[in-house]
């Protein structure tokens, strides 16, 4: 029975490491892409607007 527990832990850990590897790879690719200043400025304004919307009482 102890082996079953170890196998399930190993199986649960494997998808996480796969996700971490995939996330790391995607972030690396994103960092290599050139981003025009205007697009970055608009993205920051959008993020700020979304944050303000979340903090406003309904």
């Amino acid at each position: 029975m102890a082996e079953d527990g170890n196998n399930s832990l190993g199986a649960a850990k494997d998808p996480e490491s796969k996700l971490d590897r995939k996330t790391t790879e995607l972030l690396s690719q994103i960092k290599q892409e050139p981003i025009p200043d205007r697009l970055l400025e608009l993205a920051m304004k959008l993020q700020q607007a979304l944050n303000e919307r979340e903090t406003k009482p309904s």
Side-chain angles (χ1 to χ4, degrees):
M1 280 194 198
E3 288 182 22
D4 290 340
N6 289 340
N7 286 341
S8 64
L9 287 176
K13 195 173 185 180
D14 185 50
E16 289 178 12
S17 64
K18 189 174 184 179
L19 178 62
D20 289 341
R21 185 170 48 243
K22 186 174 183 178
T23 303
T24 302
E25 183 179 325
L26 287 170
L27 287 173
S28 177
Q29 291 175 6
I30 289 169
K31 288 178 182 179
Q32 293 175 10
E33 289 294 319
I35 302 174
D37 290 339
R38 178 71 177 141
L39 180 57
L40 184 57
E41 179 185 338
L42 290 171
M44 290 177 6
K45 286 182 179 181
L46 175 59
Q47 184 63 52
Q48 183 179 10
L50 291 172
N51 288 340
E52 288 172 1
R53 190 170 139 197
E54 286 180 3
T55 57
K56 276 187 178 180
S58 295

